[in-house]
Amino acid sequence: MKQLKKYLLSIATLLGLFILPFSASAEEIDMGEKVMKFINDTGFAHFANGNWLCIIMILVSCVLFYLAIVKKFEPLLLLPIAFGMLLTNLPGAGLYHPELFGGGHVHWADFADANNVGLLDYIYLGVKLGIYPCIIFIGVGAMTDFGPLLANPKSFLLGAAAQIGIFATFLGALALGFTYAEAGSIGIIGGADGPTAIYLTSKLAPGLLGPIAVAAYSYMALVPVIQPPIMRALTTQKEREIVMQQLRKVSKKEKIVFPIVVTIFVSLLLPSAAPLIGCLMLGNLMRESGVVDRLSKTVQNELMNITTIFLGISVGATTTAAAFLNFQTLAILVIGILAFSMGSAGGVLLAKFMNLFTKNKINPLIGSAGVSAVPMAARVSQNVGQEANPGNFLLMHAMGPNVAGVIGSAVAAGILLSFLG
């Protein structure tokens, strides 16, 4: 009998908890008002109230999904960027608030109220504080072999020449009415280095981060399409057939000393480039020293992959309708491809000029690899070279200016940051 009473008491208690909310008076809960509030809070209501620009941005994100998934254009970063773009343009979700980063500064006081801060605001701090690009550079350094560069130091000059697109585009952007800081951020697209472009833009012109990142990674993916016509237009058949001498073997000691020396020299000469160069060379030293294989594998894989996800989503979060759908974005996309094209042409032309004074001729095709799209640009040099001469193997020769371009773009970013920051 006691067991039955306990059982009935438990049922009565549960029924009371269930019925209690509905026993309140009509004055306490107006169900009609609550239903209307629910309807007005939906994203569909926001669309009906005139937020139709968000629909355009959602369609743009779908185009980027198509390019990443179907066309495989830089999918590792383009897909997270597209999803970040989708999330930030869902009306009413409140995932990203540009006003928290207005004026190029983080308004820390506003972060104290968690109700006014979205998930993407917290993730974006990694970009704003320059953390994600530097971590990416550690991974890039751990995956990079500077041996071809050390075997042929002339590659440094080709990598430097390819950065001409950065500074030429900087002047062009100024002529179009962009500010100095904005022009510097647009010009860095010519280096074909996504993390560097993101790092510099987050410092100089954070309002342009979305368009510049999308342009930089889109053009990096289009290297096999953009570069070959430029290379063929600037070289003769005979120049494309040049067979270069085999590179010398680089000792382990040289590979270990190189990142240390570069870090010291560049950081003393250009302190503003120290974060990127230091992280790049740290990753490379992990690779070449041979004593921290576990750390080297971690930064090449798990750490770099995790950071790439956060970096892509953060960049996508900045592509709000107000920031993306304007004349500036169109201008950036046009200027960006010119910057990249000029960088590719600069390396080829310098190689042709160097052949006027050198005994051992350089195949000018490797000059286009001076942009830092590693290793895609080097592969393009190899492919175009083999079209002209099937027995020509330029890949390792092209890797020299290719990795020199990574250093060159980081140095160029340091110069722009030093003058414009």
Side-chain angles (χ1 to χ4, degrees), residues 12-135:
T13 302
L14 289 172
L15 286 173
L17 291 173
F18 178 76
I19 294 171
L20 183 61
F22 297 94
S23 65
S25 66
E27 292 180 354
E28 293 174 337
I29 298 179
D30 185 341
M31 291 305 296
E33 180 183 343
K34 296 299 181 183
V35 170
M36 288 304 300
K37 182 179 182 302
F38 171 79
I39 293 174
N40 290 330
D41 286 343
T42 64
F44 298 106
H46 285 277
F47 286 142
N49 291 332
N51 286 342
W52 58 271
L53 289 178
C54 292
I55 299 177
I56 296 178
M57 290 306 301
I58 290 173
L59 293 176
V60 172
S61 71
C62 291
V63 172
L64 295 183
F65 282 134
Y66 173 78
L67 294 176
I69 298 171
V70 179
K71 295 299 184 180
K72 295 181 173 56
F73 286 175
E74 290 290 332
L76 293 180
L77 202 68
L78 205 55
L79 192 145
I81 287 177
F83 208 86
M85 183 184 295
L86 175 65
L87 291 176
T88 201
N89 286 287
L90 293 174
L95 293 173
Y96 177 71
H97 301 84
E99 60 272 15
L100 294 175
F101 309 97
H105 304 288
V106 180
H107 300 287
W108 293 107
D110 295 334
F111 274 82
D113 185 359
N115 294 324
N116 295 325
V117 183
L119 173 64
L120 298 183
D121 295 320
Y122 292 112
I123 296 177
Y124 177 67
L125 286 172
V127 173
K128 185 61 185 171
L129 300 177
I131 298 172
Y132 298 151
C134 290
I135 294 178

Side-chain angles (χ1 to χ4, degrees), residues 154-164 234 342-358 362-368 401:
K154 295 176 185 177
S155 299
F156 270 111
L157 297 176
L158 298 177
Q163 310 313 313
I164 190 174
L234 296 177
M342 291 178 67
S344 302
V348 174
L349 293 175
L350 181 64
K352 290 167 64 77
F353 180 74
M354 290 171 64
N355 279 342
L356 299 176
F357 308 98
T358 55
I362 300 172
N363 191 314
L365 294 178
I366 71 170
S368 64

